[in-house]
Amino acid sequence: MEQYDFRKMSFYQIWIRSFCDGNGDGIGDLYGVYEKLDYIKSLGVDGIWFSPIYPSPNADYGYDISDYRNIHPDYGTMEQFRKVLARAHELGLKVLLDLVVNHTSDEHPWFLESRKNRENPYSDYYIWRDPRFRKKKKRPPNNWFSQFEGLAWEYGEERQQYYLHVFAKKQPDLNMDNPKVREEVKGIMRFWLDMGVDGFREDVITYISKHPQLPDGLPFVPAINGLKFYKDGPNLMTYLKEFREVAKEYGALQIGEAPMTPVNVALNYVSGNDRVLDMMIQFDTMMADCIMVEYVHHRFLLRKLKRAFSKWQNKLSGKAWNALYLENHDHPRVISRYGSERYWRESGTMLAACYLFQQGTPFVYQGQELGMTNIALPSIDMYEDVASINAYHTFHKHEPEAKRMRRIHVASRDSARTPMQWNDSENAGFSTVKPWFYVNPNYPRINAEAEEKDPDSILNFYRKCLALRKQEEALLRGSYREYYPLRGRQYLYERRLGDERILVICSFSEKEQNCRLPKGFDPEKALILLDNYPAAGSGNGAGGRPDGRGGKKTAAVLRLRPYETVVMKISG
Ligand code: NOJ
Ligand code: CA
C-alpha cells in the first residue's frame, strides 16, 4: 500500500499516564485522551505518537511490556482505544504506537516460560548464557553494565543461567536472532496495523542485533561499556528489512529510535526508497548541555547545539528526512535546559522556532507547547524514574547530597512526566483526585486554559509556527543553510526554495544584542512572518518592527531583545 506523505506532517507525543485522567483515579488514560483530541487537533498537528499504552508492571513506565496485544487496565480497554483511534482518524490525525521489541517485561508470559528450563518452546526467546567461573565463583558471561541498573546480567536459578538486560533488570532482552521472535514481532505489528494504526515509533530498535560472541566491553566505563556490541549490530539491517516488508503492506510509517547512532550510520537505515526506516530519532541535539546523558551535565553551549542541528540537516539533505524534536518523555524540559525560566515565554517561543522550521517532520511533546518546565522535588524518594533513582544511588553516591539532588533536578526524566497542566484548578485540571505523580507547582501560571486566552502565549505561538510550516513551501521543501556558526548567542538559518528565502533568527541571550544579517536580508524590505515579541510582526515587513521598540537598526543589523526570534522572508 502506498505510504502517506509524512514529510508534510507534524506529530504530538502522548505519554499517557500524565496526559489527562478521564475516569478520576489520578492516572492519565484513554478516556482523557478522547476528551482532548480536539485540543490536539487545534494545535495544527497531523498525528499522535503514543508512548506505550500496553499492560506493563511499570518498572520502566510502559517500556516493560507484559502483553503486546492489549491495553493497560490503568489506561482503559481495547474498546476505548478503538474509539480514540476512530475519532482521531475522523479528525484527520494519524496514530502511531510504540513498538518496544528490544526487550519485554520479565512478567511477560514468554519470559515466565523461558526462565523455567532450557527445553521449553520459549527457552530461546531471550539471551541466556552460562556463567563464567572466576576462582570457582559464578560470574556473569561478560562485563557489560546495563544502562539503567547495575550489571547487564541477572541469574535465573531455575535454568542456572544468566539473562541479558541492557536496560532494567525487569526488561530482559529478546533474542532477535531466533526467527520465532521475529515472527512474533511481525505478528504484533500486523495486529495493530490491521486495527487501523498508522505506524510505529520503534524503541531502541538499533539495539536488537547483538554481537554473536557477546565480547567483554571496555573495562572502566559505566552503563554503556557494551554498547559497541549491541548497537547497530551485524544482523540489524536484515531484521529491519523483514519488519519493513510488513509495514510496506500497510503503508505504515516507521520511526526508529537510535541512541548514540552517528549520522553516517543512520543514513544506512533512513535513506533512499528502499530505506528500512522512514526517520530516525537521533540524540545529538539532546547533548548541548551534557556528555552522553543529562547526568553528566555542563552549561548549555549553543555552538554544540547548532553543530548538531546543522550536521543532521546537511548530511540528510537530499538523501533522507529528519525527525525534529526538542523534548520527549526521556529528557528534561527544554526551557529549563536550553532556554531561560526567567524569560519563560520568550525562550519557550524562540525554542519552538529554532527547530520547527528546519527540514524534517516535527514532534511536539505533551506540555512542551505550554512551556512546561522542570520540577525540583526535595528528596530522591519522591522520584519514580528507574534511571534517576539508580544514578543517584550508584554513580553519584560519593557526592554531597545537595550536588546529587541538583543532578536529579537538571537530568531526571521525571521532569517530563509531571501531570499535564490544563488549568489553574486543583491538580492542574489533570485529575479530580490526587494525581499519581507530583504536579509542578507553577501550574497556576503555566497552563493550557490561561494560554488559550493569551494571543502571545507559547501555546498560540506553537500553533502559529505549525501553521506557517504548512503555508510556506520553502519551510517544507527548501534547502537548509546555517549562518555564523561561531556566534555563541545567536542561531540563524535559512530555508530556500527557488528565489524564496526564509531566515530564522534566534537569540539565545538574556541580553539585548545586535545581529548582523546575512547578505540579501534587508529588514526594511523583508516580510516578517513571525516575531515572538507582542506588537511586532504585523506581517508588513519592517513596518512591524517600529524604531521605537527599544533599539536602533541599520539596514543589515537587527537589534534583538532577550530570546527574541524573528522569521523573515525575501523573494527574488
Ligand atoms: C527508550 C525509551 O524512550 C525509554 O523511555 C526507555 O526507558 C528505553 N528506551 C528502554 O525501553
Ligand atoms: Ca484514569
Side-chain angles (χ1 to χ4, degrees):
M1 203 208 254
E2 206 180 323
Q3 198 181 35
Y4 48 93
D5 192 357
F6 62 89
R7 293 179 184 82
K8 287 193 176 146
M9 298 181 169
S10 53
F11 286 86
Y12 189 75
Q13 184 195 345
I14 292 183
W15 196 80
I16 194 166
R17 203 170 185 80
S18 288
F19 185 64
C20 180
D21 175 17
N23 66 356
D25 64 357
I27 298 173
D29 51 47
L30 288 165
Y31 310 101
V33 171
Y34 190 86
E35 282 170 31
K36 299 294 182 187
L37 285 172
D38 288 312
Y39 167 81
I40 295 170
K41 177 72 184 173
S42 82
L43 300 173
V45 297
D46 308 280
I48 300 170
W49 148 31
F50 281 96
S51 274
I53 53 178
Y54 321 103
S56 161
N58 282 338
D60 187 21
Y61 282 100
Y63 285 91
D64 48 320
I65 296 171
S66 52
D67 181 355
Y68 285 98
R69 298 170 189 233
N70 222 326
I71 300 295
H72 195 306
D74 282 353
Y75 307 144
T77 58
M78 196 59 101
E79 193 195 340
Q80 184 60 20
F81 176 70
R82 286 180 198 271
K83 274 177 80 174
V84 168
L85 184 63
R87 179 73 188 134
H89 283 166
E90 263 170 39
L91 291 168
L93 297 171
K94 302 282 182 202
V95 173
L96 310 179
L97 294 185
D98 220 305
L99 185 70
V100 187
V101 293
N102 177 67
H103 43 266
T104 68
S105 161
D106 67 343
E107 296 180 34
H108 193 291
W110 299 339
F111 190 75
L112 297 178
E113 284 305 305
S114 188
R115 75 183 315 161
K116 282 185 186 158
N117 52 55
R118 304 183 190 193
E119 287 84 39
N120 72 74
Y122 297 94
S123 60
D124 206 18
Y125 266 44
Y126 295 85
I127 301 174
W128 292 97
R129 291 289 184 281
D130 291 333
R132 292 198 277 199
F133 286 91
R134 290 266 164 83
K135 294 189 185 148
K136 297 205 175 139
K137 267 189 82 183
K138 205 164 63 242
R139 299 286 303 148
N142 69 23
N143 71 350
W144 296 359
F145 286 107
S146 88
Q147 292 195 13
F148 283 173
E149 269 188 307
L151 293 176
W153 297 92
E154 210 56 30
Y155 192 62
E157 284 293 342
E158 285 162 297
R159 57 185 278 174
Q160 310 245 307
Q161 282 183 312
Y162 283 90
Y163 70 84
L164 176 71
H165 63 92
V166 165
F167 293 95
K169 289 178 192 162
K170 285 182 69 63
Q171 291 171 297
D173 281 52
L174 281 165
N175 173 18
M176 207 57 77
D177 297 330
N178 180 348
K180 281 198 233 153
V181 173
R182 302 202 297 280
E183 286 313 309
E184 298 278 10
V185 173
K186 291 180 231 173
I188 295 163
M189 291 173 75
R190 286 183 193 286
F191 176 81
W192 295 105
L193 293 172
D194 282 334
M195 201 181 292
V197 162
D198 303 289
F200 300 102
R201 176 269 191 187
E202 306 187 355
D203 189 67
V204 287
I205 199 70
T206 45
Y207 287 11
I208 60 172
S209 162
K210 274 76 177 173
H211 187 296
Q213 268 85 49
L214 307 177
D216 271 336
L218 300 167
F220 301 110
V221 177
I224 52 165
N225 65 337
L227 194 70
K228 180 171 156 197
F229 301 113
Y230 58 75
K231 181 175 78 68
D232 303 307
N235 298 318
L236 179 58
M237 204 58 172
T238 314
Y239 301 161
L240 290 179
K241 275 187 190 151
E242 285 186 30
F243 304 155
R244 186 68 173 172
E245 287 310 309
V246 177
K248 268 186 167 168
E249 285 174 36
Y250 297 82
L253 188 64
Q254 292 177 289
I255 305 155
E257 189 210 23
M260 267 89 74
T261 289
V263 65
N264 291 334
V265 178
L267 277 169
N268 297 332
Y269 311 123
V270 292
S271 49
N273 282 337
D274 57 355
R275 60 184 179 270
V276 290
L277 292 167
D278 296 298
M279 288 180 276
M280 202 63 132
I281 299 176
Q282 48 85 5
F283 277 56
D284 287 345
T285 43
M286 287 295 107
M287 294 181 204
D289 63 356
C290 61
I291 297 165
M292 306 288 245
V293 288
E294 282 90 346
Y295 294 94
V296 193
H297 182 75
H298 59 63
R299 82 186 162 85
F300 168 64
L301 298 171
L302 177 61
R303 282 194 204 111
K304 211 174 159 194
L305 180 66
K306 296 199 295 183
R307 266 202 306 278
F309 277 156
S310 294
K311 180 169 72 181
W312 283 81
Q313 289 290 301
N314 293 329
K315 293 258 174 153
L316 266 56
S317 174
K319 297 189 186 128
W321 196 251
N322 273 284
L324 308 170
Y325 75 102
L326 280 182
E327 281 192 13
N328 64 34
H329 63 292
D330 286 333
H331 304 280
R333 296 289 185 176
V334 74
I335 292 182
S336 307
R337 300 180 68 185
Y338 299 173
S340 156
E341 290 184 13
R342 186 163 157 233
Y343 287 94
W344 166 73
R345 196 199 63 82
E346 292 78 5
S347 68
T349 46
M350 181 281 292
L351 286 163
C354 97
Y355 88 106
L356 290 175
F357 300 133
Q358 293 183 23
Q359 189 181 70
T361 295
F363 289 76
V364 178
Y365 177 61
Q366 68 186 43
Q368 180 187 344
E369 80 281 16
L370 306 177
M372 282 176 62
T373 61
N374 284 355
I375 195 167
L377 298 169
S379 155
I380 191 66
D381 300 333
M382 297 165 84
Y383 282 81
E384 292 281 344
D385 164 31
V386 56
S388 311
I389 294 166
N390 181 61
Y392 176 93
H393 288 298
T394 57
F395 305 130
H396 313 305
K397 70 174 176 213
H398 298 301
E399 294 178 346
E401 168 68 7
K403 189 166 178 195
R404 288 162 86 183
M405 283 315 293
R406 225 176 16 254
R407 283 189 194 275
I408 298 295
H409 297 160
V410 296
S412 177
R413 305 194 294 182
D414 281 338
S415 271
R417 300 174 178 187
T418 60
M420 181 78 174
Q421 294 164 208
W422 292 106
N423 59 41
D424 65 1
S425 70
E426 211 185 344
N427 309 319
F430 163 77
S431 176
T432 49
V433 302
K434 192 166 171 261
W436 76 278
F437 192 54
Y438 303 93
V439 175
N440 193 311
N442 63 22
Y443 75 90
R445 183 169 59 92
I446 302 178
N447 66 68
E449 199 176 290
E451 293 191 39
E452 281 292 350
K453 294 181 202 141
D454 174 4
D456 300 312
S457 64
I458 298 180
L459 172 61
N460 282 316
F461 195 79
Y462 267 87
R463 289 184 170 130
K464 283 181 209 161
C465 290
L466 291 168
L468 187 63
R469 182 182 168 273
K470 287 227 163 87
Q471 274 158 34
E472 298 288 338
E473 273 302 296
L475 293 179
L476 279 178
R477 296 193 294 116
S479 61
Y480 168 93
R481 175 173 176 189
E482 185 193 344
Y483 288 99
Y484 316 122
L486 296 181
R487 286 190 191 167
R489 299 270 172 230
Q490 296 170 1
Y491 172 43
L492 277 76
Y493 65 97
E494 178 188 315
R495 303 293 312 281
R496 182 180 198 151
L497 189 67
D499 61 2
E500 280 202 348
R501 299 170 68 190
I502 296 179
L503 183 68
V504 183
I505 303 163
C506 301
S507 163
F508 279 76
S509 174
E510 297 204 346
K511 300 206 178 82
E512 281 203 14
Q513 44 175 328
N514 285 335
C515 174
R516 180 174 293 282
L517 299 182
K519 233 170 133 192
F521 285 98
D522 178 352
E524 300 293 341
K525 293 185 191 138
L527 178 70
I528 306 294
L529 296 172
L530 214 55
D531 188 320
N532 64 341
Y533 271 74
S538 64
N540 295 322
R545 302 172 57 81
D547 276 334
R549 60 185 279 271
K552 75 172 190 327
K553 60 180 185 290
T554 59
V557 176
L558 205 59
R559 184 84 180 150
L560 290 177
R561 289 165 284 188
Y563 290 99
E564 184 162 13
T565 184
V566 182
V567 182
M568 58 171 72
K569 174 168 143 177
I570 54 171
S571 308

